[in-house]
Amino acid sequence: MGFHLCSQAFHSTPTPTHNQFLHSISRGFVRTRVSNLRAMQQEEEPKHLGKVRVPHVLTVAGSDSGAGAGIQADLKACSARGVYCSTVITAVTAQNTVGVQGVNVVAEDFVREQLKSVLSDMHPDVVKTGMLPSPGIIKVLCQSLKEFQVRVASVDNTNFVKEALVVDPVMVSTSGDVLAGPLILASFREELLPMADIVTPNLREASALLDGAPLQTVGDMRSAAKSIHDIGPRNVLVKGGDLPESSDAVDVLFDGKEFYEFRSTRIITSNTHGTGCTLASSIAAELARGSSVLSAVKIAKRYVGSALDYSKDILIGGGRQGPFDHLMKLKHNALPCMRRPFDPSDLLMYAVTDSRMNKRWGRSMSDAVKAAIEGGATIVQLREKDTDTGDFLEAAKTCLEICRRHNVPLLINDRIDIALACDADGVHIGQSDMPARVARTILGPDKIIGISCKTPQQAEKAWIDGADYIGCGGVYPTNTKENNITVGLDGLKTVCLESKLPVVAIGGIGISNVRAVMELGVPSLKGVAVVSALFDRECVLTESRNLLRAIMDSTKAVK
Ligand SMILES: Cc1ncc(COP(=O)(O)OP(=O)(O)O)c(N)n1
Ligand SMILES: Cc1ncsc1CCOP(=O)(O)O
Ligand SMILES: [Mg+2]
């Protein structure tokens, strides 16, 4: 089963004109300031002062126990797009990658109660519908939307849409199981579609909403989009993923005036369960964030394409059609050598690379890292001050493979972008680099963050900001880092005694003085970080072995 990548919208008529843009405004599709408007209103109420209103989609859909589609897909898609998602469940399905084994429709009164709970309190920006298993539930939904004035007036005097309604007319699951029978069609046509800002049928659904004739060409899709538009929705997106004999996937959007075609390369994957729900909820999420319909569709398609491409080789379930990874993270964690959590004893012999030294001794970054690890390095930091970004990234990927093979953490000095791009285990940052609190937000809870500290105050702040360890130095004078103040053994001891985080000592440390450092015997001091003692030498392997022996001897002596 294929799907598409790299959506590209192009007009069947020349490029969009200013008039078309104005037209889209007058149709109420420019939603940019909805949240701002609300925020302004809320400013008057003291209890909301200082609070930020977040974009919000309410999904009214069925639950999928396999979590590839339905409510679960909507929650994941909205989360991935940074939008809050509330849920009204219309049916509970027993479902997996093989098919739908059972459906339990939620009582109409209870659907009404859920709608009331959310709409009376939370004021979503967009309502998105999925599986609506009975005409009665559609009636309840339409009544509730009217009662709570969702989509009653899409354009107010200031041209801002108040709320939008996205309808995914779910009828048949991707496995071919019927989720909403033919009785639903009349309710869709007569009640829900006329209220919708956008409806997103696939080929089969578009055909069912019309006269039942199969859609086989892009021309058929255009005619269908126009005919469905006549039923009342402001925009119609006919999805052509199943169009026969097409190497590309083509979707057609009709806004009542213009046709837009989105063409993209099919992604060859069987992990497509839930693409329809995900596309519709991603469109809803973009509308909630203030996009126009056209750009919401464009961005949503791009997002779904990226998620499918990322997930094309993941394995969940034994059926014909697997789910995909909305957050695009699962594969990283499933790599054969999954990183274990940071352990302070990792700091024992901390090897920090230096591009100039490696160049001087004619070895690559990865050769240097390999030798240091074979010699006993317990953690590695790539500190490459004058390597081009592209080269740094490629070398970092190679070093990461080596480190993963040996279960040794790999950190990147300063460059959070490189750490993210190669999925390194973390970063080491200094007092003048990106603030640790921001780095933690960007990197998430699992990555290792080390911070350079010279004082107990800096150590305290590092702990508060969510660092994992601190590097303290320069302990001794060094030529490796210019203009670096030396704190000496006393300064190191003071910081170690105050630090709530494990400490690694750095600066001018080598085989001749490592004993003096480790014999400080302060419990928080877990090891030494070295650059020149390993890398400004002819044989990194020998130096690493010798230094590790000296560290071990001195720690034994302390005990
Ligand atoms: C383990 C360890 N400790 C301290 C440093 C120094 O980091 P920083 O202060 O950011 O200086 P630069 O290394 O960026 O010059 C370190 N790299 N590693
Ligand atoms: C990066 C850094 N931060 C404080 S001192 C230092 C340099 C350590 O290098 P060397 O081990 O060669 O003295
Ligand atoms: Mg730095």
Side-chain angles (χ1 to χ4, degrees):
M1 169 62 79
F3 205 78
H4 25 246
L5 176 69
C6 303
S7 310
Q8 277 200 335
F10 60 88
H11 276 77
S12 51
T13 53
T15 23
T17 61
H18 185 60
N19 279 348
Q20 283 165 348
F21 179 67
L22 288 181
H23 166 72
S24 74
I25 293 179
S26 71
R27 298 282 303 198
F29 298 144
V30 175
R31 306 177 25 79
T32 26
R33 253 50 88 190
V34 183
S35 306
N36 293 357
L37 218 59
R38 287 228 174 89
M40 272 154 46
Q41 286 158 2
Q42 287 167 359
E43 263 171 32
E44 286 151 29
E45 295 178 50
K47 71 176 175 174
H48 295 305
L49 265 181
K51 302 262 168 70
V52 178
R53 194 179 180 282
V54 297
H56 178 170
V57 169
L58 161 63
T59 173
V60 182
S63 154
D64 168 5
S65 54
I71 287 280
Q72 289 81 354
D74 297 342
L75 277 169
K76 288 186 276 185
C78 287
S79 303
R81 301 302 307 146
V83 170
Y84 186 78
C85 183
S86 53
T87 58
V88 165
I89 300 184
T90 57
V92 180
T93 70
Q95 194 174 162
N96 55 21
T97 61
V98 178
V100 180
Q101 289 81 43
V103 177
N104 201 330
V105 175
V106 173
E108 286 164 26
D109 277 351
F110 200 67
V111 173
R112 190 191 305 281
E113 200 168 331
Q114 295 177 69
L115 282 162
K116 185 175 178 190
S117 293
V118 177
L119 293 174
S120 65
D121 172 44
M122 302 173 83
H123 309 293
D125 297 297
V126 178
V127 176
K128 176 256 163 189
T129 70
M131 178 182 178
L132 300 170
S134 73
I137 285 181
I138 295 187
K139 197 165 277 316
V140 163
L141 171 65
C142 293
Q143 283 167 352
S144 300
L145 293 178
K146 284 177 190 148
E147 185 184 340
F148 291 98
Q149 307 205 328
V150 178
R151 285 299 297 122
V152 171
S154 73
V155 187
D156 64 17
N157 291 338
T158 53
N159 281 334
F160 295 122
V161 171
K162 281 189 173 161
E163 283 94 7
L165 176 62
V166 176
V167 174
D168 181 19
V170 173
M171 290 174 207
V172 180
S173 76
T174 34
S175 55
D177 298 277
V178 175
L179 297 171
L183 281 179
I184 292 295
L185 289 171
S187 302
F188 270 138
R189 279 194 290 251
E190 287 155 27
E191 299 181 66
L192 195 59
L193 293 196
M195 296 174 79
D197 284 282
I198 178 164
V199 57
T200 61
N202 60 27
L203 295 179
R204 273 194 289 178
E205 290 157 351
S207 143
L209 285 169
L210 299 168
D211 56 6
L215 309 183
Q216 285 169 326
T217 63
V218 175
D220 294 345
M221 289 167 67
R222 283 175 167 243
S223 315
K226 204 161 188 299
S227 305
I228 294 170
H229 186 267
D230 290 341
I231 300 173
R234 288 161 191 275
N235 295 268
V236 182
L237 179 71
V238 179
K239 299 174 293 187
D242 299 327
L243 207 62
E245 289 162 28
S246 165
S247 59
D248 285 350
V250 187
D251 295 347
V252 171
L253 174 69
F254 182 59
D255 66 4
K257 276 209 155 179
E258 309 288 340
F259 286 99
Y260 303 89
E261 283 181 17
F262 299 87
R263 272 180 195 273
S264 49
T265 316
R266 275 175 200 277
I267 295 165
I268 309 303
T269 173
S270 57
N271 293 330
T272 54
H273 180 53
T275 41
C277 307
T278 303
L279 183 72
S281 48
S282 312
I283 292 171
E286 294 313 313
L287 291 175
R289 281 156 50 121
S291 294
S292 67
V293 169
L294 180 57
S295 76
V297 171
K298 225 189 280 180
I299 295 170
K301 280 181 58 63
R302 225 183 274 153
Y303 160 66
V304 174
S306 309
L308 286 173
D309 195 36
Y310 174 88
S311 312
K312 55 180 183 258
D313 51 3
I314 66 171
L315 182 64
I316 300 171
R320 222 166 37 87
Q321 222 164 16
F324 57 98
D325 177 7
H326 291 74
L327 297 170
M328 294 181 250
K329 276 191 183 304
L330 293 173
K331 247 180 356 187
H332 284 316
N333 298 337
L335 286 175
C337 286
M338 190 168 84
R339 278 291 317 144
R340 57 186 165 72
F342 172 67
D343 180 340
S345 66
D346 290 333
L347 299 174
L348 188 68
M349 187 165 86
Y350 189 144
V352 182
T353 68
D354 182 299
S355 47
R356 265 169 280 182
M357 291 178 197
N358 285 331
K359 210 172 281 165
R360 194 177 309 142
W361 291 95
R363 54 186 163 237
S364 66
M365 202 191 300
S366 52
D367 285 345
V369 165
K370 188 162 178 285
I373 290 179
E374 282 170 359
T378 51
I379 188 167
V380 172
Q381 178 191 135
L382 302 183
R383 182 177 178 271
E384 301 292 316
K385 296 289 185 184
D386 41 27
T387 306
D388 290 346
T389 298
D391 295 341
F392 192 177
L393 178 59
E394 284 316 303
K397 285 182 186 164
T398 312
C399 293
L400 189 63
E401 272 176 36
I402 297 166
C403 288
R404 289 266 152 94
R405 234 180 283 137
H406 292 84
N407 209 17
V408 166
L410 179 79
L411 309 189
I412 308 290
N413 179 292
D414 295 350
R415 299 285 304 267
I416 291 176
D417 56 338
I418 300 272
L420 282 171
C422 72
D423 193 30
D425 298 299
V427 293
H428 185 94
I429 48 184
Q431 292 294 326
S432 53
D433 295 323
M434 178 179 293
R437 189 185 283 272
V438 181
R440 175 56 78 208
T441 307
I442 295 174
L443 291 170
D446 300 325
K447 297 285 184 197
I448 303 168
I449 297 182
I451 304 181
S452 308
C453 297
K454 288 183 191 293
T455 65
Q457 292 73 22
Q458 290 174 347
E460 175 70 9
K461 185 161 189 317
W463 182 75
I464 291 168
D465 284 351
D468 294 288
Y469 75 88
I470 62 171
C472 183
V475 177
Y476 298 109
T478 175
N479 292 326
T480 307
K481 185 172 167 62
E482 280 171 15
N483 305 321
N484 188 49
I485 294 167
T486 302
V487 298
L489 282 178
D490 287 346
L492 172 65
K493 190 170 178 182
T494 307
V495 169
C496 287
L497 286 173
E498 295 291 322
S499 177
K500 297 189 181 81
L501 292 169
V503 183
V504 62
I506 187 167
I509 300 172
I511 198 125
S512 63
N513 55 18
V514 70
R515 198 178 181 110
V517 174
M518 295 310 292
E519 281 181 359
L520 282 178
V522 197
S524 60
L525 181 62
K526 300 297 179 191
V528 292
V530 289
V531 187
S532 50
L534 299 188
F535 297 113
D536 212 2
R537 299 284 190 279
E538 188 172 3
C539 181
V540 176
L541 178 66
T542 307
E543 301 300 334
S544 308
R545 280 185 182 146
N546 292 343
L547 184 64
L548 183 65
R549 197 168 307 124
I551 297 170
M552 300 299 277
D553 288 348
S554 51
T555 50
K556 265 185 232 146
V558 170
K559 283 176 194 159

